[in-house]
Amino acid sequence: MSLNMASIYRKSQVAESTSQKALFWIWGIGLSCMVGAFACFPRSINTPIRMLMDGIMEIANHNYEKRLDLAKYDEFEGVAKSFNRMAERLTEYRKSTLADIIQGKKYIEAIVNSITEPIIGLDRDRKILFANNEALTILNLKRENVIGKSASELSLRNDLLRRLVRELIQPSEKKEPLKIYADNKESYFQVQYIPIRVLENGEAEVYVGDVILLKNITEFKELDSAKTTFISTISHELKTPIS
């Protein structure tokens, strides 16, 4: 019994010593793993996440040519492929959308320029959106000096435009025709101001600007003048014989 107890006691001490050594090594390895994780793991995660965030910001700024290369990060390779696929689709959509917008813009410009009456489009802030060739001729202005510029500022150096803007802001009761000297001749125009409103959210109409249309009434003015001259001449020629 004494030998057995001594043997059990000795084995117990060896087991306790072994368990303490094992516990020591477990703690040591655990701490080493924790230190390694804190030192390396965040860097391996933060770098691709930062690259992904930068890519998202580029897309938000309409830089659809941005692409990600995260092949060395196995966990993020699938995310990078999805991101690149999204960017490619946005690039294709943007190109097709821009092409449609440019084509539509050219079509509208062609329609506006084909109108034989002077026409000017203004937004709600009185900036000139468009003006056809006839309008530029009577205003004696160039297109590059007009489009996108404030009509109020341009009117400071242009008498005709100043009158048109003044009538737009403060309409007068008398709708007298404008007498304009253009193309080496006097022309008469009747001005029409057309407010433009669009539906917003399919519910209420919102004011977005005005269109100034100058209807050329020179022909009618000349006919009226000819009629007056004819009547005056006939009256004068008949006056003497009648007397």
Side-chain angles (χ1 to χ4, degrees):
M1 288 179 63
S2 297
L3 291 175
N4 287 335
M5 290 298 296
S7 177
I8 292 172
Y9 180 76
R10 187 171 58 254
K11 290 179 180 181
S12 176
Q13 287 183 333
V14 172
E16 185 176 356
S17 176
T18 303
S19 65
Q20 289 180 352
K21 290 180 179 180
L23 187 61
F24 173 80
W25 282 110
I26 289 173
W27 274 104
I29 294 173
L31 289 175
S32 300
C33 291
M34 292 176 65
V35 171
F38 281 107
C40 302
F41 183 74
R43 187 179 305 167
S44 63
I45 294 296
N46 287 337
T47 300
I49 289 179
R50 190 179 300 110
M51 294 174 65
L52 180 61
M53 292 297 295
D54 293 340
I56 293 173
M57 291 302 298
E58 291 291 335
I59 294 294
N61 293 327
H62 306 290
N63 180 18
Y64 300 135
E65 302 298 329
K66 179 67 177 178
R67 298 292 185 271
L68 295 180
D69 183 12
L70 301 177
K72 62 181 180 179
Y73 302 98
D74 297 336
E75 297 82 359
F76 291 89
E77 186 176 1
V79 177
K81 289 181 179 179
S82 299
F83 179 90
N84 294 336
R85 187 162 54 251
M86 175 195 69
E88 290 175 0
R89 292 182 178 178
L90 288 174
T91 301
E92 295 175 358
Y93 176 75
R94 185 187 185 188
K95 288 181 179 178
S96 62
T97 303
L98 285 177
D100 293 340
I101 292 174
I102 292 173
Q103 184 65 27
K105 183 175 181 293
K106 291 181 178 179
Y107 182 72
I108 293 174
E109 288 177 350
I111 293 176
V112 171
N113 287 324
S114 66
I115 299 175
T116 57
E117 308 287 354
I119 183 171
I120 305 170
L122 307 175
D123 65 5
R124 67 179 68 188
D125 297 322
R126 306 283 188 267
K127 287 185 178 180
I128 299 178
L129 298 177
F130 60 85
N132 64 353
N133 296 329
E134 296 293 332
L136 295 174
T137 300
I138 65 172
L139 289 173
N140 194 24
L141 295 172
K142 295 182 179 180
R143 188 178 303 276
E144 59 269 17
N145 298 331
V146 171
I147 304 302
K149 302 298 178 61
S150 172
S152 300
E153 294 180 0
L154 291 175
S155 65
L156 298 176
R157 303 183 298 274
N158 191 290
D159 295 337
L160 176 57
L161 187 59
R162 180 165 60 251
R163 182 173 178 179
L164 294 175
V165 172
R166 184 174 65 246
E167 290 289 333
L168 175 63
I169 298 175
Q170 297 177 348
S172 62
E173 296 180 358
K174 296 181 179 180
K175 302 296 182 181
E176 296 181 356
L178 290 176
K179 183 179 179 181
I180 302 173
Y181 187 81
D183 292 338
N184 298 321
K185 66 176 183 179
E186 289 183 348
S187 300
Y188 294 86
F189 294 89
Q190 191 69 46
V191 185
Q192 295 180 0
Y193 297 97
I194 307 170
I196 305 300
R197 295 179 174 84
V198 298
L199 287 176
E200 187 172 293
N201 298 326
E203 297 178 356
E205 289 188 345
V206 178
Y207 167 78
V208 295
D210 296 275
V211 170
I212 303 175
L213 176 64
L214 287 82
K215 184 175 179 59
N216 194 335
I217 59 172
T218 304
E219 181 181 356
F220 302 102
K221 198 73 176 177
E222 291 175 349
L223 289 174
D224 184 67
S225 177
K227 180 196 69 174
T228 303
T229 303
F230 174 75
I231 294 175
S232 176
T233 301
I234 292 297
S235 299
H236 177 74
E237 294 295 332
L238 291 177
K239 188 179 296 183
T240 302
I242 289 175
S243 298

